[in-house]
Protein backbone atom coordinates (compact mmCIF):
# COMPACT_ATOMS: atom_id res chain seq x y z
CA UNK A 1 0.00 0.00 0.00
CA UNK A 2 1.36 3.44 -0.94
CA UNK A 3 2.29 5.68 1.98
CA UNK A 4 -0.07 8.61 2.58
CA UNK A 5 1.11 11.75 0.74
CA UNK A 6 2.60 14.63 2.70
CA UNK A 7 -0.44 16.91 2.83
CA UNK A 8 1.56 20.04 3.54
CA UNK A 9 2.99 19.94 0.01
CA UNK A 10 -0.31 19.27 -1.74
CA UNK A 11 -2.23 22.10 -3.39
CA UNK A 12 -5.63 22.98 -1.94
CA UNK A 13 -7.47 21.01 -4.62
CA UNK A 14 -5.49 17.87 -3.72
CA UNK A 15 -6.20 18.26 -0.03
CA UNK A 16 -9.88 18.90 -0.79
CA UNK A 17 -9.98 15.71 -2.90
CA UNK A 18 -8.68 13.73 0.08
CA UNK A 19 -11.18 15.47 2.36
CA UNK A 20 -13.93 14.42 -0.06
CA UNK A 21 -12.94 10.84 0.72
CA UNK A 22 -13.46 11.55 4.41
CA UNK A 23 -9.78 11.76 5.36
CA UNK A 24 -9.49 13.41 8.77
CA UNK A 25 -5.88 14.46 8.17
CA UNK A 26 -7.11 16.38 5.10
CA UNK A 27 -9.74 18.16 7.24
CA UNK A 28 -7.00 19.11 9.69
CA UNK A 29 -4.73 20.33 6.91
CA UNK A 30 -7.47 22.61 5.55
CA UNK A 31 -8.07 23.98 9.04
CA UNK A 32 -4.32 24.43 9.61
CA UNK A 33 -3.94 26.38 6.37
CA UNK A 34 -6.89 28.68 6.82
CA UNK A 35 -7.66 28.98 10.54
CA UNK A 36 -5.71 32.24 10.88
CA UNK A 37 -7.05 33.97 7.75
CA UNK A 38 -10.63 32.90 8.47
CA UNK A 39 -10.44 33.75 12.17
CA UNK A 40 -8.79 37.12 11.43
CA UNK A 41 -11.48 38.06 8.92
CA UNK A 42 -14.30 37.06 11.24
CA UNK A 43 -12.70 38.63 14.30
CA UNK A 44 -12.29 41.96 12.51
CA UNK A 45 -15.89 41.74 11.39
CA UNK A 46 -17.47 40.92 14.76
CA UNK A 47 -14.89 42.35 17.22
CA UNK A 48 -15.32 39.60 19.80
CA UNK A 49 -12.77 36.79 19.96
CA UNK A 50 -15.08 34.21 21.60
CA UNK A 51 -17.83 34.85 19.05
CA UNK A 52 -15.26 34.94 16.24
CA UNK A 53 -13.94 31.55 17.26
CA UNK A 54 -17.43 30.04 17.34
CA UNK A 55 -18.27 31.58 13.98
CA UNK A 56 -14.97 30.47 12.43
CA UNK A 57 -15.71 26.97 13.72
CA UNK A 58 -19.19 27.12 12.13
CA UNK A 59 -17.67 28.28 8.85
CA UNK A 60 -15.16 25.42 8.73
CA UNK A 61 -17.76 22.84 9.71
CA UNK A 62 -20.12 24.09 6.99
CA UNK A 63 -17.39 23.87 4.37
CA UNK A 64 -16.08 20.48 5.47
CA UNK A 65 -19.56 18.98 5.77
CA UNK A 66 -20.23 20.02 2.16
CA UNK A 67 -16.75 19.32 0.82
CA UNK A 68 -18.30 16.78 -1.58
CA UNK A 69 -19.80 19.77 -3.47
CA UNK A 70 -16.40 21.44 -3.88
CA UNK A 71 -15.24 21.76 -7.48
CA UNK A 72 -11.49 22.09 -8.04
CA UNK A 73 -11.88 24.85 -10.63
CA UNK A 74 -12.84 27.20 -7.78
CA UNK A 75 -10.43 28.32 -5.08
CA UNK A 76 -11.07 26.57 -1.79
CA UNK A 77 -9.97 29.69 0.05
CA UNK A 78 -12.56 31.81 -1.79
CA UNK A 79 -15.30 29.42 -0.73
CA UNK A 80 -14.04 29.50 2.87
CA UNK A 81 -13.95 33.30 2.90
CA UNK A 82 -17.43 33.42 1.38
CA UNK A 83 -18.85 31.23 4.15
CA UNK A 84 -16.82 33.09 6.79
CA UNK A 85 -18.16 36.41 5.56
CA UNK A 86 -21.72 35.07 5.49
CA UNK A 87 -21.58 33.78 9.06
CA UNK A 88 -20.05 37.05 10.24
CA UNK A 89 -22.66 39.17 8.45
CA UNK A 90 -25.45 36.97 9.85
CA UNK A 91 -23.99 37.42 13.33
CA UNK A 92 -23.79 41.19 12.89
CA UNK A 93 -27.38 41.29 11.73
CA UNK A 94 -28.42 39.40 14.82
CA UNK A 95 -26.39 41.58 17.09
CA UNK A 96 -25.22 45.02 16.08
CA UNK A 97 -21.69 45.81 17.22
CA UNK A 98 -20.39 49.32 16.77
CA UNK A 99 -17.41 49.80 19.04
CA UNK A 100 -13.95 48.41 18.49
CA UNK A 101 -11.51 47.48 21.19
CA UNK A 102 -8.30 45.51 21.06
CA UNK A 103 -8.57 45.10 24.80
CA UNK A 104 -11.88 43.25 24.87
CA UNK A 105 -15.46 43.27 23.69
CA UNK A 106 -17.45 46.42 24.50
CA UNK A 107 -20.11 44.11 25.93
CA UNK A 108 -17.72 42.49 28.40
CA UNK A 109 -18.84 43.17 31.96
CA UNK A 110 -16.20 41.34 33.99
CA UNK A 111 -12.41 40.95 33.96
CA UNK A 112 -12.82 37.35 32.75
CA UNK A 113 -15.01 38.42 29.84
CA UNK A 114 -12.60 41.22 28.93
CA UNK A 115 -9.74 38.74 28.90
CA UNK A 116 -11.76 36.20 26.95
CA UNK A 117 -12.72 38.74 24.29
CA UNK A 118 -9.32 40.41 23.90
CA UNK A 119 -6.63 39.27 21.51
CA UNK A 120 -2.90 39.52 21.07
CA UNK A 121 -1.25 40.70 17.89
CA UNK A 122 0.98 38.05 16.37
CA UNK A 123 3.77 40.52 15.54
CA UNK A 124 5.72 42.14 18.34
CA UNK A 125 7.82 45.27 18.17
CA UNK A 126 11.55 45.50 18.91
CA UNK A 127 11.52 47.66 22.03
CA UNK A 128 9.00 48.64 24.70
CA UNK A 129 8.68 52.08 23.10
CA UNK A 130 8.21 50.56 19.65
CA UNK A 131 5.71 48.16 21.12
CA UNK A 132 3.65 50.95 22.68
CA UNK A 133 3.74 52.93 19.43
CA UNK A 134 2.96 49.86 17.37
CA UNK A 135 0.06 48.91 19.64
CA UNK A 136 -1.27 52.46 19.46
CA UNK A 137 -1.18 52.52 15.67
CA UNK A 138 -2.44 48.95 15.44
CA UNK A 139 -5.23 49.75 17.83
CA UNK A 140 -6.16 52.86 15.84
CA UNK A 141 -6.35 51.03 12.53
CA UNK A 142 -8.29 48.17 14.09
CA UNK A 143 -10.68 50.66 15.65
CA UNK A 144 -11.06 52.51 12.38
CA UNK A 145 -11.78 49.30 10.45
CA UNK A 146 -14.41 48.45 13.03
CA UNK A 147 -16.19 51.71 12.30
CA UNK A 148 -16.57 50.91 8.62
CA UNK A 149 -19.76 49.42 7.22
CA UNK A 150 -19.54 45.59 7.31
CA UNK A 151 -19.52 45.40 3.50
CA UNK A 152 -16.58 47.84 3.32
CA UNK A 153 -14.84 45.90 6.08
CA UNK A 154 -15.03 42.55 4.23
CA UNK A 155 -13.72 44.11 1.03
CA UNK A 156 -10.86 46.04 2.58
CA UNK A 157 -9.76 43.08 4.72
CA UNK A 158 -9.80 40.64 1.83
CA UNK A 159 -7.90 43.15 -0.30
CA UNK A 160 -5.19 44.09 2.18
CA UNK A 161 -4.88 41.31 4.75
CA UNK A 162 -5.54 38.43 2.38
CA UNK A 163 -4.09 40.13 -0.74
CA UNK A 164 -7.06 39.10 -2.91
CA UNK A 165 -7.63 40.62 -6.33
CA UNK A 166 -10.73 42.72 -6.97
CA UNK A 167 -12.11 39.92 -9.14
CA UNK A 168 -11.61 37.34 -6.40
CA UNK A 169 -13.28 39.59 -3.84
CA UNK A 170 -16.22 40.10 -6.19
CA UNK A 171 -16.57 36.35 -6.69
CA UNK A 172 -16.12 35.61 -2.99
CA UNK A 173 -18.66 38.15 -1.79
CA UNK A 174 -21.08 37.76 -4.72
CA UNK A 175 -20.76 41.45 -5.56
CA UNK A 176 -20.30 43.18 -8.92
CA UNK A 177 -16.68 44.14 -9.64
CA UNK A 178 -17.55 47.83 -9.77
CA UNK A 179 -19.22 47.64 -6.36
CA UNK A 180 -16.11 46.05 -4.85
CA UNK A 181 -13.90 48.81 -6.28
CA UNK A 182 -16.29 51.47 -4.98
CA UNK A 183 -16.45 49.90 -1.52
CA UNK A 184 -12.66 49.69 -1.24
CA UNK A 185 -12.23 53.26 -2.49
CA UNK A 186 -14.80 54.59 -0.01
CA UNK A 187 -13.34 52.48 2.80
CA UNK A 188 -9.90 54.00 2.19
CA UNK A 189 -11.34 57.53 2.24
CA UNK A 190 -13.17 56.80 5.49
CA UNK A 191 -10.06 55.22 7.02
CA UNK A 192 -7.96 58.27 6.09
CA UNK A 193 -10.45 60.49 7.86
CA UNK A 194 -10.69 58.19 10.87
CA UNK A 195 -6.90 57.94 11.18
CA UNK A 196 -6.04 61.59 10.75
CA UNK A 197 -5.28 61.93 14.46
CA UNK A 198 -2.23 59.72 13.94
CA UNK A 199 -0.53 62.58 12.09
CA UNK A 200 0.34 65.24 14.61
CA UNK B 1 -3.71 71.45 16.29
CA UNK B 2 -4.87 70.89 12.71
CA UNK B 3 -4.72 67.21 11.76
CA UNK B 4 -3.70 66.30 8.23
CA UNK B 5 -5.31 63.19 6.78
CA UNK B 6 -2.95 60.31 6.10
CA UNK B 7 -1.91 59.83 2.51
CA UNK B 8 -3.51 56.92 0.61
CA UNK B 9 -0.14 55.14 0.62
CA UNK B 10 0.14 55.45 4.37
CA UNK B 11 -3.34 54.00 4.85
CA UNK B 12 -2.50 51.17 2.48
CA UNK B 13 0.70 50.46 4.39
CA UNK B 14 -1.15 50.34 7.70
CA UNK B 15 -3.70 47.97 6.23
CA UNK B 16 -1.05 45.76 4.64
CA UNK B 17 0.73 45.51 7.99
CA UNK B 18 -2.33 44.21 9.80
CA UNK B 19 -1.37 40.89 11.38
CA UNK B 20 -3.29 37.66 11.09
CA UNK B 21 -4.79 36.60 14.37
CA UNK B 22 -4.81 33.06 15.69
CA UNK B 23 -7.70 31.18 17.29
CA UNK B 24 -7.11 29.09 20.41
CA UNK B 25 -4.87 25.99 20.12
CA UNK B 26 -7.80 23.55 20.41
CA UNK B 27 -9.62 25.15 17.46
CA UNK B 28 -8.76 22.45 14.90
CA UNK B 29 -9.84 19.66 17.25
CA UNK B 30 -13.21 21.32 17.82
CA UNK B 31 -13.74 21.76 14.08
CA UNK B 32 -12.86 18.16 13.26
CA UNK B 33 -15.12 16.91 16.07
CA UNK B 34 -17.99 18.86 14.55
CA UNK B 35 -17.49 17.52 11.02
CA UNK B 36 -19.62 14.60 9.93
CA UNK B 37 -17.47 11.98 8.26
CA UNK B 38 -18.08 12.07 4.50
CA UNK B 39 -19.73 8.84 3.44
CA UNK B 40 -20.69 7.40 0.05
CA UNK B 41 -24.33 7.65 -1.10
CA UNK B 42 -25.09 4.01 -0.38
CA UNK B 43 -23.75 4.14 3.18
CA UNK B 44 -27.14 4.90 4.85
CA UNK B 45 -28.77 2.01 2.95
CA UNK B 46 -25.96 -0.35 3.90
CA UNK B 47 -26.22 0.77 7.53
CA UNK B 48 -30.01 0.27 7.50
CA UNK B 49 -29.60 -3.20 5.99
CA UNK B 50 -26.97 -4.09 8.59
CA UNK B 51 -29.33 -3.06 11.37
CA UNK B 52 -31.81 -5.65 10.08
CA UNK B 53 -29.30 -8.46 10.47
CA UNK B 54 -29.96 -10.20 13.82
CA UNK B 55 -27.16 -10.64 16.34
CA UNK B 56 -27.89 -14.31 17.18
CA UNK B 57 -26.15 -16.74 14.77
CA UNK B 58 -29.14 -19.14 14.59
CA UNK B 59 -31.42 -16.23 13.62
CA UNK B 60 -28.98 -15.30 10.87
CA UNK B 61 -29.14 -18.85 9.55
CA UNK B 62 -32.98 -18.79 9.60
CA UNK B 63 -32.92 -15.41 7.85
CA UNK B 64 -30.49 -16.63 5.19
CA UNK B 65 -32.51 -19.79 4.51
CA UNK B 66 -35.81 -17.83 4.34
CA UNK B 67 -34.31 -15.25 1.99
CA UNK B 68 -32.83 -18.00 -0.21
CA UNK B 69 -36.15 -19.87 -0.40
CA UNK B 70 -37.99 -16.65 -1.27
CA UNK B 71 -35.44 -15.76 -3.94
CA UNK B 72 -35.63 -19.22 -5.50
CA UNK B 73 -39.47 -19.17 -5.38
CA UNK B 74 -39.70 -15.72 -6.96
CA UNK B 75 -37.19 -16.62 -9.69
CA UNK B 76 -39.03 -19.88 -10.40
CA UNK B 77 -42.38 -18.10 -10.57
CA UNK B 78 -41.03 -15.53 -13.02
CA UNK B 79 -39.46 -18.27 -15.14
CA UNK B 80 -42.75 -20.21 -15.16
CA UNK B 81 -44.67 -17.10 -16.20
CA UNK B 82 -42.15 -16.44 -18.96
CA UNK B 83 -42.82 -19.92 -20.41
CA UNK B 84 -46.65 -19.66 -19.92
CA UNK B 85 -47.61 -16.33 -21.54
CA UNK B 86 -51.38 -17.15 -21.62
CA UNK B 87 -51.52 -17.70 -17.88
CA UNK B 88 -49.41 -14.61 -17.30
CA UNK B 89 -51.76 -12.49 -19.46
CA UNK B 90 -54.77 -13.73 -17.50
CA UNK B 91 -53.15 -12.93 -14.15
CA UNK B 92 -52.02 -9.45 -15.26
CA UNK B 93 -55.43 -8.70 -16.80
CA UNK B 94 -57.28 -9.51 -13.56
CA UNK B 95 -54.70 -7.68 -11.48
CA UNK B 96 -54.86 -4.72 -13.87
CA UNK B 97 -58.66 -4.46 -13.55
CA UNK B 98 -58.47 -4.55 -9.79
CA UNK B 99 -55.70 -1.97 -9.78
CA UNK B 100 -57.77 0.32 -12.05
CA UNK B 101 -60.76 0.05 -9.69
CA UNK B 102 -58.57 0.88 -6.68
CA UNK B 103 -56.95 3.81 -8.52
CA UNK B 104 -60.36 5.22 -9.49
CA UNK B 105 -61.47 5.04 -5.86
CA UNK B 106 -58.34 6.82 -4.68
CA UNK B 107 -58.75 9.47 -7.37
CA UNK B 108 -62.38 10.10 -6.41
CA UNK B 109 -61.41 10.39 -2.72
CA UNK B 110 -58.61 12.85 -3.61
CA UNK B 111 -60.89 15.02 -5.75
CA UNK B 112 -63.59 14.95 -3.08
CA UNK B 113 -61.03 15.93 -0.48
CA UNK B 114 -59.56 18.80 -2.51
CA UNK B 115 -62.45 20.08 -4.63
CA UNK B 116 -65.54 18.65 -2.93
CA UNK B 117 -68.08 15.94 -3.80
CA UNK B 118 -69.72 18.09 -6.53
CA UNK B 119 -66.49 18.22 -8.46
CA UNK B 120 -65.99 14.49 -8.01
CA UNK B 121 -69.49 13.85 -9.43
CA UNK B 122 -68.81 16.18 -12.38
CA UNK B 123 -65.53 14.43 -13.13
CA UNK B 124 -67.29 11.05 -13.05
CA UNK B 125 -70.06 12.28 -15.37
CA UNK B 126 -67.46 13.59 -17.86
CA UNK B 127 -65.66 10.28 -17.91
CA UNK B 128 -62.10 10.05 -19.15
CA UNK B 129 -61.87 13.72 -20.23
CA UNK B 130 -62.97 14.91 -16.79
CA UNK B 131 -60.56 12.59 -15.08
CA UNK B 132 -57.73 13.82 -17.30
CA UNK B 133 -58.54 17.47 -16.59
CA UNK B 134 -58.79 16.89 -12.86
CA UNK B 135 -55.52 14.95 -12.82
CA UNK B 136 -53.88 17.79 -14.74
CA UNK B 137 -55.21 20.39 -12.30
CA UNK B 138 -54.12 18.39 -9.26
CA UNK B 139 -50.72 17.67 -10.78
CA UNK B 140 -50.28 21.34 -11.70
CA UNK B 141 -51.08 22.47 -8.18
CA UNK B 142 -48.69 19.90 -6.73
CA UNK B 143 -45.95 20.97 -9.18
CA UNK B 144 -46.40 24.66 -8.31
CA UNK B 145 -46.19 23.92 -4.60
CA UNK B 146 -43.10 21.74 -5.09
CA UNK B 147 -41.50 24.40 -7.32
CA UNK B 148 -42.06 27.16 -4.78
CA UNK B 149 -40.67 25.03 -1.97
CA UNK B 150 -37.69 24.02 -4.12
CA UNK B 151 -36.91 27.67 -4.99
CA UNK B 152 -36.90 28.63 -1.34
CA UNK B 153 -34.61 25.74 -0.40
CA UNK B 154 -32.25 26.33 -3.33
CA UNK B 155 -31.94 30.05 -2.61
CA UNK B 156 -30.98 29.30 0.97
CA UNK B 157 -28.45 26.62 0.02
CA UNK B 158 -26.92 28.53 -2.92
CA UNK B 159 -25.70 31.20 -0.55
CA UNK B 160 -23.25 28.77 1.03
CA UNK B 161 -22.11 26.85 -2.02
CA UNK B 162 -18.76 27.46 -3.75
Amino acid sequence: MAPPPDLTNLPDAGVAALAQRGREDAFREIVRRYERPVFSLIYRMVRDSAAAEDLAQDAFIKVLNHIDKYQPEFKLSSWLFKIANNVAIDHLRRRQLHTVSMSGSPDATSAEEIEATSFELADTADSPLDEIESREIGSAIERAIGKLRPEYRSCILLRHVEARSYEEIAATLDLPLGTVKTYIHRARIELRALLQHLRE
Amino acid sequence: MQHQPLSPDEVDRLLDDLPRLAPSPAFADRVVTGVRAAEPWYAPFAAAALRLVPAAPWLRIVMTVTASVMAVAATSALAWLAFHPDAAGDIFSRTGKEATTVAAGVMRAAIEGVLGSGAAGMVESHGAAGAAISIAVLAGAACLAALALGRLTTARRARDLP
Side-chain angles (χ1 to χ4, degrees):
Chain A
M1 196 170 128
D6 182 9
L7 298 188
T8 53
N9 295 328
L10 276 181
D12 280 358
V15 180
L18 292 174
Q20 285 175 329
R21 289 185 228 157
R23 288 265 301 265
E24 189 186 313
D25 53 348
F27 293 159
R28 285 188 183 276
E29 178 61 17
I30 291 172
V31 176
R32 189 193 65 76
R33 286 183 191 188
Y34 291 107
E35 62 182 353
R36 279 172 177 254
V38 166
F39 176 75
S40 300
L41 175 70
I42 295 178
Y43 177 80
R44 290 191 169 107
M45 294 292 289
V46 305
R47 319 303 306 167
D48 175 337
S49 65
E53 200 153 318
D54 287 346
L55 295 170
Q57 190 181 328
D58 287 351
F60 274 107
I61 289 173
K62 270 187 178 181
V63 166
L64 294 176
N65 275 342
H66 294 95
I67 195 74
D68 55 316
K69 296 187 176 65
Y70 170 69
Q71 293 162 338
E73 57 266 31
F74 297 105
K75 284 180 90 168
L76 180 67
S77 57
S78 295
W79 185 25
L80 263 166
F81 285 128
K82 179 181 182 178
I83 302 294
N85 183 63
N86 284 347
V87 295
I89 295 285
D90 286 347
H91 177 84
L92 289 175
R93 281 185 189 142
R94 284 194 300 268
R95 179 182 159 194
Q96 286 286 58
L97 292 178
H98 300 293
T99 316
V100 181
S101 172
M102 277 177 68
S103 51
S105 163
D107 299 317
T109 53
S110 65
E112 289 80 20
E113 281 185 32
I114 290 169
E115 192 183 352
T117 57
S118 65
F119 70 89
E120 292 291 328
L121 294 180
D123 294 349
T124 54
D126 296 326
S127 70
L129 193 64
D130 287 342
E131 189 178 332
I132 290 167
E133 194 181 339
S134 170
R135 282 185 73 92
E136 195 177 305
I137 294 170
S139 180
I141 184 82
E142 296 280 359
R143 224 175 4 251
I145 290 170
K147 286 179 181 163
L148 298 174
R149 282 171 52 180
E151 308 85 66
Y152 293 5
R153 240 180 283 172
S154 319
C155 291
I156 204 90
L157 289 171
L158 286 172
R159 177 74 185 143
H160 285 278
V161 183
E162 300 307 328
R164 301 278 147 168
S165 67
Y166 289 111
E167 289 78 10
E168 281 178 301
I169 298 170
T172 301
L173 302 180
D174 281 334
L175 290 172
L177 185 58
T179 306
V180 169
K181 288 179 179 173
T182 305
Y183 281 1
I184 290 175
H185 179 67
R186 286 181 187 165
R188 282 176 177 150
I189 291 173
E190 284 188 22
L191 287 173
R192 283 180 68 197
L194 289 165
L195 294 169
Q196 64 180 351
H197 66 281
L198 289 179
R199 171 169 287 180
E200 291 184 19
Chain B
M1 182 190 292
Q2 183 76 33
H3 291 312
Q4 294 277 321
L6 295 174
S7 71
D9 285 349
E10 285 171 313
V11 172
D12 280 0
R13 205 184 60 247
L14 284 174
L15 288 166
D16 290 338
D17 288 345
L18 280 172
R20 279 181 173 164
L21 312 169
S24 62
F27 180 76
D29 290 331
R30 287 207 309 276
V31 169
V32 173
T33 306
V35 177
R36 287 191 314 266
E39 36 182 44
W41 63 269
Y42 53 81
F45 300 103
L50 275 176
R51 277 197 295 274
L52 294 176
V53 176
W58 68 271
L59 267 178
R60 285 190 200 177
I61 293 168
V62 170
M63 200 173 165
T64 308
V65 170
T66 310
S68 304
V69 169
M70 284 174 70
V72 169
T75 309
S76 307
L78 284 174
W80 185 84
L81 286 173
F83 287 102
H84 298 81
D86 296 342
D90 189 41
I91 289 168
F92 287 127
S93 165
R94 265 187 285 158
T95 312
K97 276 179 194 165
E98 280 165 19
T100 308
T101 312
V102 171
V106 170
M107 192 68 210
R108 184 185 165 81
I111 293 168
E112 268 184 5
V114 178
L115 303 172
S117 55
M122 195 180 74
V123 167
E124 270 188 347
S125 66
H126 284 81
I133 290 167
S134 62
I135 287 171
V137 169
L138 283 174
C143 284
L144 280 176
L147 195 67
L149 197 63
R151 281 271 168 101
L152 283 173
T153 314
T154 310
R156 172 124 187 105
R157 276 189 195 147
R159 207 169 143 253
D160 291 339
L161 287 179

